[in-house]
Amino acid sequence: MDVPHKLLEILASTSPINSLEIAKSLNLDHQAVVGGIKSLQQSEGLVDAEPSNQVELGLTEEGKHVLKNGSHEFVVYSAIPDEGIPMPELMKLSKYAKLGVSKALAAKWISVSKNEANVQIVKKLAPSAGDDIQACLEKLQDLSISEKSDLKKRKLIAEKKTTVYAVSRGPQFTTRRVKEETDLTSDMVSTGSWQEYKFKK
């Protein structure tokens, strides 16, 4: 996609536009849109762009894992059969199994006891009410203050600063970009074609 040209087409009907919103509507990475804006700014007067900082919540790598697979405690709970499971087997579940056991114990979802062979056996204590943590990550932008705080403590989400641009049509706006030339050549003068070019100042 020719991002600069696409931005000009959008600006022709709507001005100003928000770079973050445009990135989402075009299904593009925000930095690709920012690159397109910077390209347009090289042509004097074509567009005006005002930057501002915006803080957004984003998933950490661990948060992405939980969104895809479920919270560590819910994954642990779901893996336990009715008769229980030896702790060493449960630890093979994922790299987050130990944390999952800790969280599931705190939530009183599971119990740990030792069998005759002195092996820790993990059993379900009560039916799970569901995976609230994964559900919270699915509604990331609509979290309550306490939910945000809990997810930050668990390092599942983090605040991310983004420079967003409000882009509007400039005084020399056109949807047809004219390549600016650096030098006036003798050919341009002799043929009169120099009149068709814009020159960098």
Side-chain angles (χ1 to χ4, degrees):
M1 182 189 293
D2 183 343
V3 177
H5 183 68
K6 189 68 183 173
L7 291 172
L8 290 177
E9 286 182 346
I10 296 168
L11 278 167
S13 58
T14 308
S15 179
I17 58 175
N18 177 291
S19 59
L20 206 56
E21 290 172 7
I22 292 299
K24 285 175 185 173
S25 69
L26 297 177
N27 200 25
L28 288 172
D29 182 78
H30 184 243
Q31 285 307 309
V33 174
V34 171
I37 293 165
K38 300 277 188 194
S39 173
L40 294 177
Q41 284 181 306
Q42 290 174 11
S43 298
E44 191 176 346
L46 189 60
V47 298
D48 293 321
E50 287 294 326
S52 63
N53 285 325
Q54 188 170 313
V55 178
E56 268 201 320
L57 284 176
L59 296 174
T60 61
E61 284 307 308
E62 189 178 344
K64 289 175 186 174
H65 178 89
V66 169
L67 180 63
K68 182 180 178 184
N69 301 290
S71 68
H72 309 320
E73 57 267 41
F74 191 77
V75 170
V76 161
Y77 178 88
S78 301
I80 300 171
D82 292 340
E83 67 274 14
I85 185 172
M87 184 71 83
E89 286 298 310
L90 201 54
M91 287 298 106
K92 295 175 185 175
L93 199 59
S94 81
K95 65 178 180 178
Y96 298 112
K98 188 175 180 182
L99 180 58
V101 167
S102 172
K103 294 288 184 186
L105 279 168
K108 295 185 168 51
W109 285 359
I110 62 171
S111 66
V112 180
S113 58
K114 288 187 178 178
N115 64 8
E116 300 84 7
N118 209 30
V119 175
Q120 286 185 316
I121 301 296
V122 186
K123 290 186 176 180
K124 291 178 179 177
L125 262 185
S128 162
D131 196 347
D132 293 340
I133 300 300
Q134 188 183 41
C136 281
L137 294 180
E138 286 170 351
K139 59 167 189 176
L140 195 56
Q141 303 307 326
D142 300 310
L143 296 173
S144 68
I145 292 171
S146 64
E147 286 171 337
K148 282 181 191 174
S149 177
D150 289 343
L151 293 174
K152 278 183 189 175
K153 280 180 192 169
R154 289 190 60 162
K155 297 188 167 107
L156 299 178
I157 62 170
E159 288 186 344
K160 186 173 127 187
K161 282 187 181 175
T162 306
T163 302
V164 181
Y165 291 85
V167 187
S168 53
R169 294 187 285 261
Q172 308 295 326
F173 179 79
T174 174
T175 54
R176 182 174 167 270
R177 290 181 77 191
V178 179
K179 185 173 181 285
E180 293 188 345
E181 298 292 331
T182 306
D183 301 310
L184 178 67
T185 65
S186 56
D187 282 346
M188 289 178 188
V189 175
S190 62
T191 60
S193 65
W194 64 271
Q195 297 174 73
E196 298 171 15
Y197 291 94
K198 285 183 73 177
F199 292 89
K200 290 183 180 178
K201 295 182 180 178

